[in-house]
Amino acid sequence: MKIVVLDGYTLNPGDLDWDGFKALGDFICYDRTESKDILDRSKDADIIITNKTPITAETISSCKNLKYIGVLATGYNVVDVDAATGANIPVCNIPTYGTAAVSQFVFALLLNICHHVQSHSEAVQEGRWASCPDFCFWDSPLTELSGKTMGLIGFGRIGQDTAKIAQAFGMKVIAYDSYQNPDLVSDTLKYGTLDELLSQSDVISLHCPLFDSTKGIINAANIAKMKDGAILINTSRGPLVVEDDLAAALNSGKLRAAGLDVVSTEPIKEDNVLLKAKNCYITPHIAWAPIEARKRLMDIAVDNLAKFLQGTVQNKVN
Ligand code: NAD
């Protein structure tokens, strides 16, 4: 059984091990695979494991031994799932490893915008506190979250976990989702229409998947419906946001700030308009990556494959 991992580096840059996969067959792991090498590296594989390396219909039809595709992530849009289904090959993902990590990261971005901890610390290290005539100083507005309203677009696992943290901060929550669970409604949480959420929220955080129906959901028309000075957080997928429209809203001051862990093209392009937008804080798609979450991801990926080899498929998306 030949197991090929095409791009293992981001899951395991050296602080985890691949022993679980090694115990299941002949194992080879590439840190990364360029497009021109995908076919060559996959052609004899029984099992292909990918994170962000695309597995096209052409790859699937060329790999004559292929029996299983494992995705080292929740999102599986890198695989041509229809082609895999047509070839009777299960595609298995990791649905839940990162919920706590991503919801925590929403607040890492948001609290940075509220307090600018790093830039104030740098100012202190540069000597500005030592030379300050007063006992304290701050460079940017400081914001208390208690009493503010957080709008969550997409209210699945991560959205709901984010809501719990928001409520612990004393925030009210408005959730917008195509599916509503009345059991989740409380004094501090209500469902609303998208327009209600846009017009009433002080902070808007995106937690819906990238579908045709959600692509570009943050655009000029919807930004115009938001409160002046609202804050946008995106840890979901970059193309949910029309980046030119967000940059314009930040530069005009319509939006106070944005915290983004994802952008339209990753890695980010040097000419991405958001790199020069005002009050735009961008991290390199790291919400998922605390070691605890990556360890969980590795364990589930191994378990998915072990179960498949024993004849029970789990976390199949097709
Ligand atoms: P989930 O499937 O549990 O929740 C998604 C929710 O979005 C569901 O409740 C669904 O009903 C809702 N939804 C679908 N279409 C919608 C629409 N048109 N409008 C409003 N809501 C809609 O997924 P999750 O585990 O909460 O993950 C959410 C997203 O987070 C993933 O799709 C992924 O893109 C992203 N993510 C990012 C990272 C990261 O490192 N930044 C890590 C993991 C996941």
Side-chain angles (χ1 to χ4, degrees), residues 299-314:
D299 290 346
I300 298 168
V302 169
D303 194 49
N304 280 352
L305 179 56
K307 289 274 172 24
F308 168 73
L309 296 174
Q310 291 158 12
T312 349
V313 192
Q314 69 182 15

Side-chain angles (χ1 to χ4, degrees), residues 17-37:
D17 64 59
W18 296 103
D19 292 354
F21 278 113
K22 286 178 184 166
L24 296 175
D26 294 334
F27 175 82
I28 180 155
C29 175
Y30 299 98
D31 279 349
R32 335 178 153 77
T33 297
E34 291 178 39
S35 305
K36 65 179 175 50
D37 297 323

Side-chain angles (χ1 to χ4, degrees), residues 102 156-158 177-178 207 209 213-214 235-237 261 285 287-288:
V102 179
R157 285 175 290 251
I158 297 172
D177 197 299
S178 31
H207 299 290
S213 59
T214 55
T235 56
S236 190
R237 285 291 179 264
D261 189 46
H285 203 144
W288 68 287

Side-chain angles (χ1 to χ4, degrees), residues 169-189:
F169 271 105
M171 301 181 81
K172 297 190 185 81
V173 174
I174 303 179
Y176 167 70
D177 197 299
S178 31
Y179 168 79
Q180 300 195 359
N181 178 355
D183 293 343
L184 298 175
V185 174
S186 70
D187 288 351
T188 53
L189 191 152

Side-chain angles (χ1 to χ4, degrees), residues 50-52 70-76 92-95 97 237 297:
T50 180
N51 191 330
K52 297 287 177 282
V71 183
L72 298 172
T74 307
Y76 47 86
C92 296
N93 77 335
I94 320 287
Y97 73 96
R237 285 291 179 264
L297 195 165

